[in-house]
Amino acid sequence: MELKAAQTRVLLAFQADPATVTRAHASLTPAEAAVERQALARVRRHRIAWADLDRAGLASVAVPIFATYDVQAAMGLLGTTEMLNAADRPSARVAALEQAAETLGSMIATSHA
């Protein structure tokens, strides 16, 4: 996955090992790395990530899947910018994504109990 993909941002935002994030950002300029650190902070705060892939007409959004307290995976949606727009949050699509991630996280946690 690309560094600025929504799913990548979710996984890096909740990464327990800071060295992993540092390695992932090694190819970025200091200014780009600062922008990504701010994006990861927003993901931790809002528990949602939007992609920044500079592809006209395409958008993606991802949310974390938690089981107990740890992130297990990222679940995302890919679509057009008309379907998925960060300014429209909360949209029905994003709400359904968040609900699906919560349900899957509960199922994972239950299966490990």
Side-chain angles (χ1 to χ4, degrees), residues 22-60:
T22 300
R23 283 191 304 275
H25 290 170
S27 65
L28 301 176
T29 67
E32 291 170 331
V35 168
E36 276 306 297
R37 284 191 303 275
Q38 290 173 350
L40 298 182
R42 281 191 305 277
V43 173
R44 284 188 293 277
R45 203 170 34 254
H46 300 290
R47 294 188 175 203
I48 189 166
W50 293 88
D52 182 12
L53 302 177
D54 294 323
R55 291 195 177 87
L58 293 178
S60 67

Side-chain angles (χ1 to χ4, degrees), residues 15-95:
Q15 175 56 243
D17 180 10
T20 300
V21 177
T22 300
R23 283 191 304 275
H25 290 170
S27 65
L28 301 176
T29 67
E32 291 170 331
V35 168
E36 276 306 297
R37 284 191 303 275
Q38 290 173 350
L40 298 182
R42 281 191 305 277
V43 173
R44 284 188 293 277
R45 203 170 34 254
H46 300 290
R47 294 188 175 203
I48 189 166
W50 293 88
D52 182 12
L53 302 177
D54 294 323
R55 291 195 177 87
L58 293 178
S60 67
V61 59
V63 296
I65 298 173
F66 288 101
T68 58
Y69 300 105
D70 296 322
V71 69
Q72 302 296 310
M75 181 182 285
L77 289 174
L78 176 65
T80 66
T81 51
E82 285 186 35
M83 290 174 52
L84 298 171
N85 186 332
D88 292 342
R89 191 182 189 295
S91 73
R93 288 181 179 95
V94 172

